[in-house]
Amino acid sequence: DAMVIQNPRYQVTQFGKPVTLSCSQTLNHNVMYWYQQKSSQAPKLLFHYYDKDFNNEADTPDNFQSRRPNTSFCFLDIRSPGLGDAAMYLCATSRGALAGRSDTQYFGPGTRLTVL
Amino acid sequence: AQSVTQLGSHVSVSEGALVLLRCNYSSSVPPYLFWYVQYPNQGLQLLLKYTSAATLVKGINGFEAEFKKSETSFHLTKPSAHMSDAAEYFCAFRMDSSYKLIFGSGTRLLVRP
């Protein structure tokens, strides 16, 4: 089945220790998104890649970076995690403009990040 | 500004009762609308979507939603709640000129035995 995969599902890191979260997709979608979701809140878009083009949201802290080495993979790097970065991180994909009005985001299972 | 509002952060129903989760959007032109469900410690799963075809949209797990332009609404319904429907539900919309989603604040559905 085509899907969005996130690894690991649970990640524990120490305050200030860099961490990388991984997302891969078998949908061959053009767009990959990273969201941060804190408890009892809606997902908040951090950034997205449309193919190789990186699009950062204006209020995303510099502490968050992303890489997309190829169509299938996208990484979220948190350079110096603080206690406030503890959250669920969701990866999503969509076809983008090629899908027109039918463009739909499909989400992975998420990575729960704990910062000690 | 474009936005989506979900009325009621928590909705509680008895098993077998009607489920109604409310969603209203604010936009000068009708957007594309989505309902997602999120179970604890899981990602978001698409329930259904409106993309300007039929105004009554049927989704998975027996859910459906009706787009009403005059009321700027896209409420989610299910005739008979099941215990397994207990989850967080998010309404979201996307404008024609963008592929970014704007989410509502979510509604937690509780199903009483």
Side-chain angles (χ1 to χ4, degrees), chain B residues 76-103:
Chain B
L76 182 70
T77 60
K78 182 174 180 177
S80 176
H82 192 272
M83 296 298 290
S84 61
D85 294 327
E88 186 92 20
Y89 291 79
F90 290 98
C91 181
F93 83 85
R94 176 176 67 80
M95 299 306 298
D96 192 27
S97 57
S98 172
Y99 36 84
K100 294 201 297 186
L101 284 178
I102 298 172
F103 284 94

Side-chain angles (χ1 to χ4, degrees), chain A residues 9 37 50 104-105 112, chain B residues 36 38 41 49 99-100:
Chain A
R9 294 293 313 280
Q37 186 182 28
Y50 197 124
T104 301
Q105 290 190 24
R112 168 82 56 193
Chain B
Y36 287 89
Q38 186 177 32
N41 284 313
K49 63 182 180 181
Y99 36 84
K100 294 201 297 186

Side-chain angles (χ1 to χ4, degrees), chain B residues 49-60:
Chain B
K49 63 182 180 181
Y50 167 75
T51 55
S52 74
T55 56
L56 181 61
V57 182
K58 294 187 182 300
I60 63 171

Side-chain angles (χ1 to χ4, degrees), chain B residues 55-71:
Chain B
T55 56
L56 181 61
V57 182
K58 294 187 182 300
I60 63 171
N61 301 341
F63 284 94
E64 64 179 39
E66 186 172 7
F67 173 73
K68 292 187 177 180
K69 183 178 177 181
S70 60
E71 298 177 8

Side-chain angles (χ1 to χ4, degrees), chain A residues 38-94:
Chain A
K38 296 191 175 180
S39 182
S40 301
Q41 295 183 20
K44 177 179 180 295
L45 183 64
L46 294 173
F47 28 57
H48 72 274
Y49 271 96
Y50 197 124
D51 294 327
K52 293 182 183 293
D53 293 332
F54 177 70
N55 299 270
N56 200 29
E57 293 301 297
D59 57 354
T60 298
D62 292 341
N63 199 25
F64 292 86
Q65 305 284 319
S66 186
R67 296 170 283 133
R68 189 178 185 185
N70 53 53
T71 300
S72 301
F73 284 86
C74 195
F75 300 98
L76 170 62
D77 301 309
I78 308 176
R79 293 192 296 185
S80 181
L83 297 178
D85 297 328
M88 173 76 91
Y89 289 88
L90 297 167
C91 175
T93 72
S94 77

